[in-house]
Amino acid sequence: MMSSSSRRLAFNGFDISAGDEWEDITASLEEPDSPFTVARCERGVGAIQFSPAIYRSGPMPSVSPKDLAAMLSEFGELRGLRDPFDSLPFSGSVFGIGSSCRSGDDFVRAWYLSDGANVMLVTYVCDWCNRF
C-alpha cells in the first residue's frame, strides 16, 4: 500500500515533493559525483536521478522544446536505448519531453525539462516487470 503522505527532499536549490516511501540514496552510491538519487528502497522498485544544468552567467540560453527533444534522442543513442515509446511532450512555464525504453531486463524513462534557461535531466530505472 502506498503512503498518502509526502515529504520534501532538497538538493542544489531544488525541492522535490516525494511520497514517504522514497528515500535519498545519493550518499550510498559508489560514484562521488553521482546525481541526486531517490529510490523506493523498501519495495526495491526503481530509482530516480536528477541532473540539473543551471544557468550561471554569460549569454542567456534560449532552450526550446526542439532542443530538449534532440537532447533526449542523443541521450538514448549514447546509451544504446533503442525503440523509444510512450514519448510525451508537455508545455507550460516548465516544458519538456520524456520517453521510455526497454534495456535488457530494465525499464528506463528519461525526461528533459527546462524553463528556457536551465535544463534538468530526470531518469527513472526499474526492473521491466515492475514498470507499472
Side-chain angles (χ1 to χ4, degrees):
M1 181 175 183
M2 292 189 57
S3 171
S4 61
S5 60
S6 66
R7 61 185 168 162
R8 295 180 75 107
L9 301 170
F11 73 102
N12 293 346
F14 293 91
D15 285 325
I16 296 169
S17 179
D20 284 339
E21 69 275 8
W22 290 92
E23 299 177 37
D24 177 358
I25 64 163
T26 309
S28 70
L29 301 176
E30 293 178 13
E31 295 295 320
D33 293 330
S34 292
F36 180 74
T37 304
V38 295
R40 293 194 296 192
C41 298
E42 186 176 300
R43 294 184 58 206
V45 183
I48 301 174
Q49 290 190 320
F50 300 85
S51 302
I54 306 301
Y55 168 75
R56 300 274 187 229
S57 65
M60 178 65 80
S62 182
V63 180
S64 72
K66 185 176 177 179
D67 296 328
L68 298 180
M71 287 186 237
L72 184 61
S73 178
E74 181 179 21
F75 174 87
E77 288 173 16
L78 291 173
R79 287 157 184 79
L81 301 174
R82 304 193 193 301
D83 304 318
F85 61 93
D86 197 22
S87 182
L88 178 65
F90 54 92
S91 60
S93 60
V94 173
F95 55 91
I97 186 167
S99 68
S100 303
C101 292
R102 183 173 187 162
S103 178
D105 292 334
D106 291 332
F107 171 79
V108 179
R109 179 131 181 106
W111 299 264
Y112 272 93
L113 320 165
S114 182
D115 61 0
N118 306 291
V119 175
M120 174 84 73
L121 167 62
V122 180
T123 58
Y124 173 71
V125 178
C126 71
D127 290 334
W128 181 258
C129 61
N130 292 324
R131 69 191 179 280
F132 298 108

